[in-house]
Amino acid sequence: MQTQTHPLIAPTLGTARNLTSFHYGPGGGQKIYIQSSLHADELPGMLVSWALRRKLAALEGAGKVRGEVVIVPVANPIGLNQHFLGHLTGRFETNSAQNFNRNFYELSALIQPGIEARLTDNLDANRTAIRAAMREALDAQEPVTELESQRLALQKLSYDADVVLDLHCDWEAAMHLYTNPDLWPEVEPLACYLDAKASLLALNSVGNPFDEIHSFCWSDLRGRYGDRFPIPNGSVSVTIELRGQREVSYEYAERDAQAIIEYLTSRGVIDGTAAPLPALEFAATPLAGAEPIVAPISGVLVYRCEVGTWVDVGHEIADIVDPLTDRVVTLKSTVAGVLYARHLTRFATAGLEFARIAGAKAFRSGSLLSN
Ligand SMILES: [Zn+2]
């Protein structure tokens, strides 16, 4: 194992932060990149990274790690230090109001149009040429802020990985994941091992979140040049939502870390025989089919349905109770699917989006992610 330290731009006098990455295996084969807590207040993944590091150390000691596995347990030291009146604000940078998981460098745009002249009829050579162009483009960036330098440092560690896993969680949620539809055949075994209750597919949900920045580039290049040059999926990139924010436990961390180890074993990154593949309980659905449930009035939010359960059309999801008028509004699902996430709050403001159901039919367009 090798440890690397990546200094960020110092934001203020007397303050400096670093990213730390841990590198397992001899290199030379597949590269796997796993980071956690890019939204700094999402801690289940940090414990999974800790459990993964222990497992990888043992596997490396036994000579069983092929290729390279990179773990960045603390992907957002900026966000981890944003405490206000006892509350950790880890999703947005307080100085810029930017979401920590948006606005990554768009590799596809950065390597065009020069990449066209470097493509050939050889798939592997094209993968190598595209990655080289990505590296040159990232090296040419000149970040000014600490936040930009954090994004760039993460991308320099991950841009050439064959598999990128970004470990997040939701407020209250069942295990679910986001990935690119082109990658689904390669991601489905991971969803099975993790026992994901929803797998949400989107090519480009707008906003350049971390997982999409890795996969979209290859899909985009294939769309532009694929009729003339063979272009692979250079990065199997997935956002894993490790249930809800409070679901930090040794039991979950052990289970989820082992699921990732099984997936890496099935890919040949770790020597051995992977556990038998469990069946996937619920089929993948388009992210554009996910129905947000919205509170039409303000009031006390009373849930009537647990996350991870299948709901049919008309299923009662929650009530909004107004104690001043005695009005009770019941919100129902208009699609069938798994209720995969819901809000932490129990107080609804008018217009609050408080739950999401993984419907099978795409009906939304534009920006598909919440802020
Ligand atoms: Zn997140």
Side-chain angles (χ1 to χ4, degrees):
M1 195 274 293
Q2 187 202 16
T3 305
Q4 292 182 12
T5 302
H6 314 270
L8 307 184
I9 289 175
T12 59
L13 296 174
T15 301
R17 279 182 270 262
N18 301 297
L19 288 174
T20 305
S21 58
F22 301 95
H23 302 249
Y24 297 86
Q30 292 179 61
K31 177 175 172 181
I32 311 297
Y33 175 85
I34 302 171
Q35 71 176 23
S36 49
S37 307
L38 178 58
H39 287 140
D41 49 359
E42 300 175 3
L43 280 310
M46 205 179 282
L47 202 64
V48 170
S49 284
W50 171 80
L52 271 174
R53 287 195 58 210
R54 295 180 152 210
K55 290 175 184 289
L56 288 166
L59 289 163
E60 188 179 53
K64 289 187 170 178
V65 180
R66 302 173 181 169
E68 181 185 18
V69 183
V70 181
I71 308 283
V72 179
V74 180
N76 183 5
I78 303 172
L80 267 184
N81 199 34
Q82 294 185 158
H83 295 262
F84 295 95
L85 306 175
H87 182 75
L88 172 59
T89 301
R91 186 175 182 82
F92 301 94
E93 197 212 24
T94 51
N95 192 38
S96 63
Q98 288 189 36
N99 187 320
F100 283 110
N101 190 22
R102 300 287 186 276
N103 303 319
F104 280 92
Y105 293 89
E106 191 170 336
L107 293 167
S108 182
L110 288 176
I111 66 173
Q112 288 178 47
I115 190 61
E116 185 173 355
R118 296 163 73 168
L119 297 173
T120 66
D121 58 5
N122 183 309
L123 184 91
D124 291 325
N126 289 344
R127 183 191 292 109
T128 303
I130 291 167
R131 285 181 177 163
M134 289 176 173
R135 179 76 216 188
E136 292 159 19
L138 291 172
D139 282 343
Q141 300 309 307
E142 294 178 350
V144 175
T145 66
E146 185 185 34
L147 177 56
E148 288 170 0
S149 71
Q150 178 170 281
R151 287 178 178 137
L152 186 60
L154 293 172
Q155 279 190 265
K156 282 185 174 178
L157 280 164
S158 62
Y159 77 95
D160 60 347
D162 300 284
V163 175
V164 172
L165 304 181
D166 193 11
L167 307 184
H168 288 248
C169 69
D170 214 305
W171 282 311
E172 294 179 355
M175 172 74 80
H176 62 284
L177 55 83
Y178 298 93
T179 194
N180 176 313
D182 292 352
L183 305 176
W184 178 240
E186 288 194 75
V187 175
E188 188 170 6
L190 176 65
C192 294
Y193 283 123
L194 287 167
D195 193 19
K197 303 302 183 191
S199 303
L200 301 151
L201 307 182
L203 179 64
N204 179 8
S205 55
V206 181
N208 293 341
F210 190 77
D211 81 282
E212 284 186 13
I213 211 69
H214 292 86
S215 58
F216 177 73
C217 179
W218 301 90
S219 298
D220 188 49
L221 292 173
R222 219 165 21 249
R224 290 170 191 273
Y225 309 117
D227 54 342
R228 287 175 289 147
F229 307 108
I231 295 173
N233 284 320
S235 175
V236 175
S237 167
V238 189
T239 292
I240 302 174
E241 302 281 345
L242 297 163
R243 308 178 192 83
Q245 273 181 318
R246 294 183 188 176
E247 287 172 300
V248 177
S249 73
Y250 288 128
E251 291 74 18
Y252 278 142
E254 166 61 28
R255 185 192 304 179
D256 299 340
Q258 190 57 38
I260 290 170
I261 293 292
E262 298 297 349
Y263 179 61
L264 298 186
T265 306
S266 76
R267 290 188 62 93
V269 182
I270 291 167
D271 239 350
T273 306
L277 200 62
L280 190 62
E281 194 174 354
F282 302 106
T285 54
L287 180 57
E291 185 196 26
I293 308 291
V294 178
I297 61 168
S298 177
V300 181
L301 176 56
V302 184
Y303 286 116
R304 300 178 59 169
C305 186
E306 292 302 315
V307 293
T309 51
W310 178 273
V311 299
D312 290 314
V313 174
H315 193 102
E316 294 171 343
I317 305 298
D319 291 341
I320 311 292
V321 178
D322 178 347
L324 300 175
T325 64
D326 203 24
R327 189 177 171 199
V328 176
V329 177
T330 299
L331 283 312
K332 300 175 181 175
S333 176
T334 64
V335 300
V338 174
L339 173 73
Y340 63 89
R342 67 186 198 186
H343 209 298
L344 267 180
T345 188
R346 296 299 186 267
F347 179 68
T349 49
L352 178 77
E353 183 186 305
F354 64 82
R356 284 210 172 191
I357 297 163
K361 195 173 163 202
F363 66 94
R364 296 186 300 138
S365 60
S367 180
L368 296 175
L369 300 173
S370 54
N371 286 329

